[in-house]
């Protein structure tokens, strides 16, 4: 069985629907660790997220754990603690996999551009919600040697995204 931890937010809700009732033949349960605070990017909030992951991993060392992370290279506590979580998981759990996703279309920066609460800057790498779910589910069945899978999205100028949303 696929067990989604947290399952809140746009990705959690969509993923929860996609995995409902999916039975895994011949394998143990798979945990998809999707629990992280994306709204409060302060150091204390991000540090708490890391501590929660560490606690979960220590209780489930023998399980398959897929950690949903980010491809972002932004200088932030969010990215730093996500990377620390990846390192912890991979160094402590032998059956772990990290999936790094680009920005999901919907909430976050895309919504803020649409609401005109942030200014466009740089290049955005975007992925649709359904494509993100599909990539995570593929990882459930992955049996290769790699321990980190980075998913590519569509790269587009933030200014172009802003202009499209402003039409």
């Amino acid at each position: 069985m696929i067990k989604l931890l947290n399952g809140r937010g746009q990705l959690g809700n969509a993923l929860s629907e996609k995995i409902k009732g999916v039975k895994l033949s011949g394998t143990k349960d798979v945990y998809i660790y999707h629990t992280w605070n994306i709204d409060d990017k302060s150091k204390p909030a991000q540090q708490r997220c890391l501590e929660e992951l560490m606690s979960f991993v220590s209780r489930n060392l023998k399980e398959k754990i897929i950690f949903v992370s980010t491809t972002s290279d932004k200088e932030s506590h969010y990215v730093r603690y996500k990377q620390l979580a990846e390192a912890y998981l991979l160094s402590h759990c032998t059956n772990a996999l990290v999936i790094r996703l680009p920005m999901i279309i919907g909430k976050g920066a895309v919504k803020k551009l649409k609401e005109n609460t942030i200014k466009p800057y740089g290049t955005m790498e975007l992925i649709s919600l359904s494509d993100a779910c599909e990539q995570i589910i593929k990882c459930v069945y992955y049996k290769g040697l790699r321990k980190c899978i980075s998913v590519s999205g569509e790269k587009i100028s933030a200014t172009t995204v802003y202009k499209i949303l402003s039409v």
Side-chain angles (χ1 to χ4, degrees), residues 107-164:
K107 287 176 62 177
V110 174
K111 183 179 180 194
K112 290 176 183 173
L113 280 172
K114 187 174 185 173
E115 294 169 344
N116 208 19
T117 56
I118 62 170
K119 300 285 183 214
Y121 174 79
T123 302
M124 300 173 82
E125 186 172 3
L126 304 171
I127 189 169
S128 72
L129 187 56
S130 62
D131 286 348
C133 288
E134 185 180 310
Q135 293 299 319
I136 293 168
I137 291 168
K138 274 186 184 178
C139 288
V140 168
Y141 302 99
Y142 178 76
K143 297 196 186 316
L145 297 175
R146 291 183 303 152
K147 292 298 177 183
C148 287
I149 296 176
S150 294
V151 176
S152 297
E154 303 295 328
K155 292 183 180 179
I156 185 167
S157 153
T159 302
T160 301
V161 172
Y162 177 74
K163 288 177 182 175
I164 291 168

Side-chain angles (χ1 to χ4, degrees), residues 13-67:
N13 290 336
L15 202 49
S16 183
E17 285 301 311
K18 295 242 186 215
I19 65 171
K20 202 176 276 183
V22 173
K23 301 267 191 226
L24 300 174
S25 59
T27 67
K28 295 169 42 170
D29 290 344
V30 175
Y31 290 93
I32 299 174
Y33 196 94
H34 166 254
T35 303
W36 211 266
N37 189 338
I38 64 165
D39 296 320
D40 182 354
K41 298 204 171 53
S42 70
K43 183 177 179 178
Q46 296 304 307
Q47 197 163 13
R48 275 190 302 279
C49 290
L50 175 60
E51 290 165 1
E52 288 172 14
L53 173 121
M54 291 166 68
S55 176
F56 175 79
V57 170
S58 68
R59 292 188 317 271
N60 295 282
L61 291 172
K62 299 197 185 295
E63 306 299 330
K64 181 171 184 176
I65 301 171
I66 298 170
F67 177 58

